[in-house]
Amino acid sequence: MATEAHFSGVIAPVLTPFDEEGGPDAARFTDHASWLLAEGCTALAPFGTTSEANSLGIEERMELLEELVDSGIDPGKLMPGTGTCSLADTIALTEHAIEVGCGGVLMLPPFYYKGPSEDGLFRYFAEVIECIGDDRLKVYLYHIPPVAQVGFSLPLIGRLLKEFPNTVAGLKDSSGDWSNTAAILAEYPQLEVFPGSEIFLLDGLKHGAKGCISATCNVSANAIRKVYDSWQTPDAERLQAGITALRKAIQAYPMIPALKAVIAHYRGDPGWAAVRPPFMPLPAAEAEKAVRTLAEAHGFTLDFADAA
Amino acid sequence: MATEAHFSGVIAPVLTPFDEEGGPDAARFTDHASWLLAEGCTALAPFGTTSEANSLGIEERMELLEELVDSGIDPGKLMPGTGTCSLADTIALTEHAIEVGCGGVLMLPPFYYKGPSEDGLFRYFAEVIECIGDDRLKVYLYHIPPVAQVGFSLPLIGRLLKEFPNTVAGLKDSSGDWSNTAAILAEYPQLEVFPGSEIFLLDGLKHGAKGCISATCNVSANAIRKVYDSWQTPDAERLQAGITALRKAIQAYPMIPALKAVIAHYRGDPGWAAVRPPFMPLPAAEAEKAVRTLAEAHGFTLDFADAA
């Protein structure tokens, strides 16, 4: 029995705002999440790499997830990141995500110890899945070798799919390597595959991808959604060229500080620019330049008029 | 005011045994820790890389640390690893270590996000130290770029020492690069420096290192201690050659599974060989070969007669 498709479309790894004491700011966070859904996101992936999730504590992550659900967001639309380097913490976060009703979880491989064997990674995921032992668990494998260093080979994906066909539902490919995404799509058509950048959205959809999960969805969900909605129309290539150009303009800056600086500017809320170390905020001149470049070269703007 | 010297000698990053359900085995753990001190370890660094600390949960680490102290081990001799990729969890583990009376903590840099700026890393440690705000805190920087990927440059060490002279007490250098250790020793003589391998023990001591913190202390503390005790005697070079050869023989195998296999053999306790994924236990034939090679080529044996 194949796993039912659960997620598709434009999914944002929700940025995590901080308050003046450096703690997660739940009010700004839930406001932003609601605004993202209003902007066109079909689902949300809080606690991804872009969310500075790996700079958050286990308790902080659980509390923020509960805030999202308490704010009225349908937990079925949430695919929180729950993978840590520790088996125990990964199980705890994943059980909590199931408990609050999340539609799926996005799971990093254990990333501290480098060069793990395929057997070791297989055993890790097997222990997580078997220990949780819950049919509601839908795992999206999070492949991001440029950051995690540890990733999912094609054979490992195949072994996990074969052993846990009702649990391993999909994969986010943030390798930045289209040939890897294409190989996964060709080999495992039953998997819900999401490229980690909208640059590959149109190509992905043509090859069977379900959408994308991308950092820049935090500011340009609207434009990305247009590509998703019209990918079979004559306009698709032109729209894709627009979001590709915007993405490249944004990723010329350090991604997380730049996204936060852009939101801080358009919200008129300087506090939004705060990042947790080891990140540093974009210097003021860089932030201004980023905003100006995006506006002038790409007609980019953000409208928070509808936001609370 | 310079920081007082707190640690010296032969320090083991204590292996973490697991029980049949895969949970940490507190009884085996505290037995092993006591045996290590009886074997000649001057102090213990639980929750290091060798301890599979990054495969343990935050709660599991706190509970095991309390077990060590409750078992009667002087907490002043403990330098637990408390660095995680998260600011919040690192603060929580470090505050807990201070609370139970630990003499110091061994702190990894935040290691998920790659290529952090020197400013970002400085700010991370500054926030940890200032947020804790406790004069009892003594931080040993844990430099292990082959695994963590993120490390401590000489200028970063200098900035931290200058800003927090009473808190930043030392550094473990697991770069495996003697020229880096030598440069740190030359540049920052006020720092308590520990090479991460006993291969560099004698050279280190001659250049001002305080001892070593090494995985293999889990099985060969006795021989390593002899080098430490007699490093200014004519016998030092010969003794150093012996522990260097033994280390090289052990590190020909995957280090953590091999150390556990050796202990399992000499304790007659197969359960000791269990590792948490992503590690895999050494296959039986490999384990036997490791034990035989160490015994035949190096006269290596372990005596647990005195152990509880």
Side-chain angles (χ1 to χ4, degrees):
Chain A
M1 188 179 90
T3 306
E4 246 180 90
H6 279 78
F7 285 91
S8 61
V10 177
I11 305 180
V14 187
L15 287 163
T16 308
F18 296 102
D19 61 25
E20 284 174 18
E21 284 74 45
D25 188 319
R28 283 188 178 114
F29 183 62
T30 54
D31 277 358
H32 183 57
S34 299
W35 178 79
L36 287 171
L37 290 170
E39 278 287 291
C41 282
T42 52
L44 301 174
F47 319 122
T49 298
T50 305
S51 317
E52 296 172 78
N54 300 93
S55 300
L56 300 174
I58 302 302
E59 291 292 332
E60 289 176 332
R61 290 163 74 144
M62 292 190 186
E63 284 166 19
L64 284 175
L65 184 60
E66 290 172 23
E67 292 277 357
L68 278 186
V69 177
D70 290 348
S71 78
I73 290 173
D74 172 8
K77 290 189 177 179
L78 298 177
M79 184 202 288
T82 61
T84 71
C85 37
S86 143
L87 187 78
D89 288 338
T90 298
I91 290 172
L93 285 174
T94 305
E95 285 180 334
H96 177 257
I98 296 172
E99 197 179 295
V100 303
C102 293
V105 298
L106 188 56
M107 204 178 282
L108 282 167
F111 54 81
Y112 180 71
Y113 296 102
K114 302 305 184 293
S117 65
E118 187 187 300
D119 282 349
L121 288 174
F122 177 79
R123 191 180 150 221
Y124 176 89
F125 284 95
E127 286 206 12
V128 168
I129 293 168
E130 287 164 359
C131 181
I132 292 173
D134 192 316
D135 286 344
R136 294 172 299 172
L137 173 61
K138 301 297 166 195
V139 172
Y140 291 76
L141 308 173
Y142 187 4
H143 181 59
I144 182 167
V147 183
Q149 308 283 321
V150 176
F152 298 88
S153 67
L154 279 175
L156 174 60
I157 297 167
R159 282 177 69 181
L160 289 168
L161 264 176
K162 191 174 170 195
E163 189 78 14
F164 306 104
N166 299 318
T167 302
V168 176
L171 180 141
K172 175 183 180 191
D173 184 3
S174 295
S175 65
D177 173 5
W178 167 249
S179 68
N180 186 62
T181 312
I184 295 169
L185 285 164
E187 191 100 8
Y188 307 114
Q190 71 271 48
L191 211 56
E192 298 170 27
V193 174
F194 297 85
S197 163
E198 68 271 27
I199 288 177
F200 306 116
L201 179 55
L202 186 54
D203 282 339
L205 292 168
K206 287 178 180 173
H207 288 76
K210 294 285 183 241
C212 69
I213 306 175
S214 170
T216 25
C217 294
N218 277 285
V219 296
S220 54
N222 198 289
I224 298 170
R225 176 65 182 268
K226 284 187 184 126
V227 175
Y228 179 72
D229 285 342
S230 63
W231 73 274
Q232 288 165 306
T233 73
D235 217 21
E237 295 285 355
R238 186 186 62 82
L239 292 171
Q240 175 66 55
I243 63 172
T244 294
L246 184 64
R247 166 83 185 202
K248 288 185 175 170
I250 295 173
Q251 71 188 19
Y253 298 87
M255 181 66 90
I256 297 167
L259 292 172
K260 286 187 153 181
V262 165
I263 292 174
H265 172 83
Y266 286 105
R267 275 197 182 269
D269 176 3
W272 239 104
V275 290
R276 221 172 225 192
F279 287 106
M280 293 292 283
L282 226 52
E286 280 291 284
E288 282 167 33
K289 189 180 148 206
V291 168
R292 203 172 51 243
T293 307
L294 297 180
E296 289 171 6
H298 302 277
F300 176 86
T301 184
L302 285 181
D303 184 3
F304 289 102
D306 293 336
Chain B
M1 190 178 93
T3 306
E4 244 180 273
H6 280 76
F7 284 91
S8 62
V10 176
I11 305 180
V14 187
L15 287 163
T16 309
F18 296 102
D19 60 26
E20 283 174 20
E21 283 76 42
D25 188 318
R28 283 187 177 115
F29 183 61
T30 55
D31 277 358
H32 183 57
S34 299
W35 177 78
L36 286 171
L37 291 170
E39 277 287 291
C41 283
T42 52
L44 301 175
F47 319 122
T49 297
T50 305
S51 317
E52 296 173 78
N54 298 93
S55 301
L56 299 174
I58 303 300
E59 292 294 332
E60 288 176 333
R61 290 162 75 144
M62 291 190 188
E63 284 166 21
L64 283 175
L65 184 60
E66 290 171 24
E67 293 277 358
L68 278 186
V69 176
D70 290 349
S71 79
I73 290 174
D74 172 7
K77 290 188 177 180
L78 297 177
M79 184 202 290
T82 61
T84 71
C85 38
S86 144
L87 188 78
D89 289 338
T90 298
I91 290 172
L93 286 173
T94 304
E95 284 180 335
H96 177 257
I98 295 172
E99 197 179 297
V100 303
C102 294
V105 298
L106 188 57
M107 203 178 284
L108 281 167
F111 53 81
Y112 180 70
Y113 296 102
K114 302 305 185 290
S117 65
E118 188 189 299
D119 282 350
L121 288 174
F122 177 79
R123 193 180 147 219
Y124 176 89
F125 284 96
E127 287 205 14
V128 169
I129 293 168
E130 286 165 359
C131 181
I132 292 172
D134 192 317
D135 287 345
R136 294 171 298 174
L137 173 60
K138 301 296 167 195
V139 173
Y140 292 76
L141 308 172
Y142 187 6
H143 181 59
I144 181 167
V147 184
Q149 307 282 320
V150 175
F152 297 88
S153 66
L154 278 176
L156 174 59
I157 297 167
R159 281 177 69 181
L160 290 169
L161 263 177
K162 190 172 170 196
E163 189 77 14
F164 306 105
N166 298 318
T167 302
V168 175
L171 180 141
K172 176 183 179 190
D173 185 2
S174 295
S175 66
D177 173 6
W178 167 250
S179 68
N180 186 63
T181 313
I184 294 169
L185 285 165
E187 190 100 7
Y188 306 114
Q190 70 271 48
L191 211 56
E192 298 169 29
V193 174
F194 297 85
S197 165
E198 68 271 28
I199 288 177
F200 305 117
L201 179 56
L202 186 53
D203 282 339
L205 292 169
K206 286 178 181 172
H207 288 76
K210 295 284 183 243
C212 69
I213 306 175
S214 171
T216 24
C217 295
N218 277 284
V219 296
S220 54
N222 197 290
I224 297 171
R225 176 64 182 267
K226 284 188 183 126
V227 175
Y228 179 72
D229 286 341
S230 63
W231 73 274
Q232 287 164 307
T233 72
D235 217 21
E237 295 285 353
R238 187 187 61 83
L239 292 171
Q240 175 66 54
I243 62 171
T244 294
L246 184 63
R247 165 84 186 201
K248 287 183 174 170
I250 295 173
Q251 70 187 21
Y253 297 87
M255 180 66 88
I256 297 168
L259 292 172
K260 286 186 155 182
V262 164
I263 292 174
H265 172 84
Y266 286 104
R267 274 196 182 270
D269 175 4
W272 238 104
V275 290
R276 222 172 223 192
F279 287 106
M280 293 292 284
L282 226 52
E286 280 290 285
E288 280 166 34
K289 190 178 146 208
V291 167
R292 201 172 54 242
T293 307
L294 296 179
E296 289 170 7
H298 303 277
F300 176 86
T301 184
L302 284 182
D303 183 3
F304 289 101
D306 292 336

